[in-house]
Structure formats: C-alpha cells, structure tokens
Amino acid sequence: MTRNTAREIAIQLGFAASAMEELPQEMMDKFFDRDYYATLGEEDELYSEYPNEKHMEYIRRLATLTFDRRMEIDQYIRRYAKGWKIERISKTALAVLRCAICEIMYMDDVPNAAAINEAVELDKGYDEPDTVAFVNGVLGGFMRGEINIPADEAAQAEEAAPEAGNAAPEAETTADGEKQTNG
C-alpha cells in the first residue's frame, strides 16, 4: 500500500464520519475489522491490500485529527472559499480539503506541497474539473494566507491542477432549492 492509498482511505473515512456523525475511533474499529475490510476489497480495488502498521497509524491519525479539528479547519475553508458557504461545497471536495489542511497544519511529517498535490490528484477521481480547480484554489489561498509561503511557491503548488484558482465550481440546485457544487 502506498501513502497515497492510505490518504485516500483516510479521506473516505472522513467523508463517512461527517455523514454519519460517528466518532472516528468507533467507525475505524468496525471498518478495519479484517473480515469487513476483505469484503470491501472484493468491491473496490482501493481496499485490496490491508494497511500495514505504518499506514494504519497514518490513516487513523489523519482521520482522527481531521475529525477532532474539523471546526478549526472549516473556518480556514470558509475564509478561502471566497463567496461559497461550506454547505454548498461538495461533500467529497470538503473531505479532501479537510484532510489536506489537516496534514499541513498538524502533521509535520507530510510536506505541504505533497499534501496539496495529492489532495488535488485525489479529488480528480471524485469531482468535476471545475471543483478540482476550486479545491486547488482554496488550498493555494490557504497556503499564501496562513502558512506564509512565497507567492511563487504557492503558484507552483496551484499548477497541480489545470485552470487552478479560486474560481467557484459549477453548482447544481438540490431538491430543497439550495445550490451545491458538483461532486
């Protein structure tokens, strides 16, 4: 298993935790039951390999930190998702943003550029290109505004996605009349 696969599993766990309002530890204990995990592997190649100890520690740490710090992380997302309420951002894009910002803020063993690049690449597998560019723009703005990286380094990080920037992703109207980003 690669770190990228472990990251994607952590993002999916974060997505599930926010949808179910379940504590991550309880959810992860069920999720990583070997029999249950084996059934997932039959359905999705992502779960074909059970995480080794190192990857399991990383997944659990990222999912738990993201869950525990989500209020603070969401404040950063609100600040840099200019013109967008957090409720309107696709759930997958939100899970990706939360994990990337968590890695940047609280996980010193993950290089910032890797957190951004991997987040953008992973989001490409779930969201439309406009939403991917939006995620990349939010992360670039976050880096410039909070981490104080030079503008040229932020621009390099934003080049990970085509048409990157803080452009809002296309929105769809839900049944209750609210707009939600694609994803």
Side-chain angles (χ1 to χ4, degrees), residues 76-89:
Y76 290 120
I77 294 169
R78 283 182 183 92
R79 185 175 303 149
Y80 295 101
K82 303 209 187 280
W84 282 83
K85 292 185 178 186
I86 204 163
E87 298 80 20
R88 293 176 57 200
I89 299 171

Side-chain angles (χ1 to χ4, degrees), residues 35-91:
D35 291 333
Y36 178 74
Y37 196 88
T39 64
L40 295 174
E42 294 169 7
E43 299 172 15
D44 187 337
E45 189 177 323
L46 178 66
Y47 305 107
S48 62
E49 182 181 348
Y50 193 83
N52 64 26
E53 188 176 321
K54 177 181 169 187
H55 288 121
M56 182 70 77
E57 178 184 323
Y58 168 79
I59 292 166
R60 286 182 179 273
R61 190 173 87 171
L62 180 55
T64 301
L65 275 171
T66 301
F67 185 85
D68 291 346
R69 303 288 186 144
R70 73 186 178 286
M71 302 293 247
E72 180 183 352
I73 292 168
D74 285 358
Q75 288 301 320
Y76 290 120
I77 294 169
R78 283 182 183 92
R79 185 175 303 149
Y80 295 101
K82 303 209 187 280
W84 282 83
K85 292 185 178 186
I86 204 163
E87 298 80 20
R88 293 176 57 200
I89 299 171
S90 80
K91 300 299 183 209

Side-chain angles (χ1 to χ4, degrees), residues 10-137:
I11 288 169
Q12 289 192 2
L13 286 168
F15 177 89
S18 67
M20 298 185 318
E21 299 282 330
E22 187 174 4
L23 294 174
Q25 191 59 47
E26 295 168 8
M27 184 181 61
M28 286 186 284
D29 289 344
K30 294 174 195 171
F31 186 84
F32 289 114
D33 172 80
R34 285 197 179 265
D35 291 333
Y36 178 74
Y37 196 88
T39 64
L40 295 174
E42 294 169 7
E43 299 172 15
D44 187 337
E45 189 177 323
L46 178 66
Y47 305 107
S48 62
E49 182 181 348
Y50 193 83
N52 64 26
E53 188 176 321
K54 177 181 169 187
H55 288 121
M56 182 70 77
E57 178 184 323
Y58 168 79
I59 292 166
R60 286 182 179 273
R61 190 173 87 171
L62 180 55
T64 301
L65 275 171
T66 301
F67 185 85
D68 291 346
R69 303 288 186 144
R70 73 186 178 286
M71 302 293 247
E72 180 183 352
I73 292 168
D74 285 358
Q75 288 301 320
Y76 290 120
I77 294 169
R78 283 182 183 92
R79 185 175 303 149
Y80 295 101
K82 303 209 187 280
W84 282 83
K85 292 185 178 186
I86 204 163
E87 298 80 20
R88 293 176 57 200
I89 299 171
S90 80
K91 300 299 183 209
T92 52
L94 187 57
V96 168
L97 285 166
R98 283 175 174 159
C99 283
I101 290 173
C102 182
E103 284 183 309
I104 293 164
M105 294 293 295
Y106 309 112
M107 298 176 75
D108 293 336
D109 59 324
V110 178
N112 294 345
I116 292 171
N117 291 336
E118 292 299 325
V120 170
E121 286 302 313
L122 286 171
D123 197 50
K124 287 178 182 179
Y126 295 102
D127 285 316
E128 298 295 321
D130 287 345
T131 303
V132 174
F134 174 76
V135 165
N136 195 50

